[in-house]
Amino acid sequence: MAILGYFFNAVESGGEYDRVYNAEDVTSYLDKLVGNGVFPNPSTQLQVRAGSGMNVIVGTGQGWINGHKMINTADLTLAIDSSDVLLNRIDAVVFYVDFDAREMGIEVKKGTLASTPTAPSMTRTSTRYELCLAQISVPKQITAITTALITDTRGNSNLCGFVQGLIQQMDSTTLFAQWQSQFE
């Protein structure tokens, strides 16, 4: 059994430092303090909206996955592949962390063609973790993505969610009503 303590300044002795930390040490520490998702304020962070033609735009904002922070500093235009002639599909706009490539990004995850399509599932493995910002319905024979075809999934904690701290906010309505009743 080993006991680890974080973080202390390194001391140089004989040309070597007695403490060496890497990104995994820091992210595993932060991962316990900050939950995955999109930062909630302002409410437009990383919002997906309709662009021109078959494009969507991901707005500026910040997100957090497993101790890693991503910042999108400018509107990002993403192309949605052309619709099919006979079948529909649902694409997903995801933000991700790729541990092998050591990067974070935003991309379109293309769905599967079907008469009644379902959205693609999110990859959540030891090498890649995805959160879904929005689902894009791509009905057969359309030529433009409209606002009505975009489902914002940032607030869905199963698909994305909003960043929360170690002590999550609670609904105190019932507790407050009980205290008020006792006070009166």
Side-chain angles (χ1 to χ4, degrees):
M1 181 173 143
I3 297 174
L4 303 172
Y6 295 98
F7 290 96
F8 299 97
N9 291 335
V11 175
E12 185 179 357
S13 176
E16 299 210 8
Y17 288 97
D18 66 341
R19 298 183 188 272
V20 178
Y21 303 111
N22 64 27
E24 187 176 80
D25 294 320
V26 175
T27 59
S28 69
Y29 175 78
L30 294 173
D31 188 34
K32 305 301 182 235
L33 300 175
V34 181
N36 289 345
V38 172
F39 284 86
N41 295 314
S43 63
T44 57
Q45 291 210 55
L46 301 178
Q47 183 177 26
V48 178
R49 58 188 194 276
S52 61
M54 293 296 287
N55 293 317
V56 295
I57 299 167
V58 180
T60 61
Q62 302 177 44
W64 187 273
I65 301 175
N66 297 344
H68 297 269
K69 184 178 180 181
M70 181 198 70
I71 302 173
N72 182 31
T73 61
D75 283 352
L76 175 65
T77 301
L78 297 173
I80 302 297
D81 284 354
S82 298
S83 64
D84 190 66
V85 177
L86 300 173
L87 297 171
N88 308 314
R89 74 171 192 273
I90 299 173
D91 292 350
V93 177
V94 301
F95 89 94
Y96 65 88
V97 61
D98 185 319
F99 297 105
D100 289 341
R102 298 178 302 148
E103 69 180 16
M104 296 184 84
I106 301 171
E107 65 186 18
V108 175
K109 189 170 190 175
K110 189 173 178 178
T112 304
L113 293 171
S115 55
T116 308
T118 59
S121 60
M122 296 297 97
T123 300
R124 296 188 175 161
T125 66
S126 61
T127 58
R128 184 177 172 96
Y129 199 99
E130 298 172 342
L131 295 177
C132 184
L133 298 172
Q135 294 173 345
I136 313 298
S137 177
V138 186
K140 61 185 176 188
Q141 301 180 13
I142 65 159
T143 58
I145 300 297
T146 63
T147 301
L149 298 174
I150 300 172
T151 302
D152 188 337
T153 58
R154 294 172 303 155
N156 181 332
S157 60
N158 292 321
L159 295 174
C160 184
F162 293 107
V163 169
Q164 296 182 356
L166 181 61
I167 300 174
Q168 298 178 5
Q169 298 298 319
M170 63 180 239
D171 180 2
S172 61
T173 307
T174 305
L175 184 59
F176 182 75
Q178 180 182 359
W179 287 344
Q180 186 70 28
S181 170
Q182 290 172 344
F183 178 73
E184 292 172 357

